[in-house]
Amino acid sequence: GAGVSQSPSNKVTEKGKDVELRCDPISGHTALYWYRQSLGQGLEFLIYFQGNSAPDKSGLPSDRFSAERTGGSVSTLTIQRTQQEDSAVYLCASSFGRGGYTFGSGTRLTVV
Amino acid sequence: QQQVKQSPQSLIVQKGGISIINCAYENTAFDYFPWYQQFPGKGPALLIAIRPDVSEKKEGRFTISFNKSAKQFSLHIMDSQPGDSATYFCAASTDSWGKLQFGAGTQVVVTP
């Protein structure tokens, strides 16, 4: 597609359940990033992929968070045993090079 | 701690006026400084970017001013329009594939 696609756009889950968030980057973009945006806050870096490897996972807040990327394309962010503090908008971006980030519209996660 | 500090948190400007948003950083290794614009329910979109070898960059009504010695940079929106009402984020990165450090954001409201 023409842009970065994220699904679902909205997810409501019960505390303690696992969730998977999907990101489909722009074709040909080798770099993929996950960020988290809490209500009225800035963007918090989570993880960066170059191809299928993740040279920087420093932003993952706990071991309940994990991510993978397959075929140098689609990425999945998994949150296990969700907590209320995980409620946020999860944004994915892809890039072909320095600074050329294109963001998706995000997945709004609500943990109840 | 936040590596890029952004102010003000919010800004109201009349149509036709000038909006000014400021950012400051400490890490002298930063060498790429983009600004992003975000509308409600959408991901941030790259607006304009600058590297430290220039002091100013202009694209249409948007201008970045960069002061390397003061470690500050700012966004000026000239002739502000109601359609410019959005949240603006400054950011900075150090490495080739640009994990971006974002400011906290400025909500700009342009009144008719």
Side-chain angles (χ1 to χ4, degrees), chain A residues 4 25-26 28-33 48-51 53 69 72-73 92-98 100-102, chain B residues 97-98:
Chain A
V4 176
I26 293 173
H29 280 195
T30 58
L32 186 147
Y33 309 81
Y48 150 57
F49 286 94
Q50 182 63 255
S53 64
R69 188 179 185 196
S73 182
C92 174
S94 69
S95 170
F96 61 88
R98 182 63 177 275
Y101 273 39
T102 301
Chain B
W97 287 93

Side-chain angles (χ1 to χ4, degrees), chain B residues 49-70:
Chain B
I50 199 168
R51 299 190 189 276
D53 52 346
V54 298
S55 60
E56 186 174 281
K57 183 175 181 180
K58 183 176 180 179
E59 289 185 3
R61 296 183 293 108
F62 299 91
T63 299
I64 299 178
S65 297
F66 185 82
N67 186 329
K68 188 173 181 178
S69 61

Side-chain angles (χ1 to χ4, degrees), chain A residues 30-31 33 35 37 40-45 48 50 56 58 91 95-106 108, chain B residues 2 9 30-32 34 36 38 41-46 51 89 93-105:
Chain A
T30 58
Y33 309 81
Y35 283 80
Q37 186 173 28
Q41 300 298 309
L43 285 79
E44 176 189 6
F45 169 79
Y48 150 57
Q50 182 63 255
D56 191 345
S58 62
L91 290 162
S95 170
F96 61 88
R98 182 63 177 275
Y101 273 39
T102 301
F103 279 91
S105 292
R108 180 176 298 279
Chain B
Q2 198 151 39
Q9 189 174 6
F30 285 147
D31 64 353
Y32 177 71
Y36 283 80
Q38 184 178 31
K42 300 294 185 183
L46 179 63
R51 299 190 189 276
F89 293 94
S93 71
T94 60
D95 57 74
S96 297
W97 287 93
K99 176 182 84 174
L100 289 171
Q101 302 285 351
F102 284 87

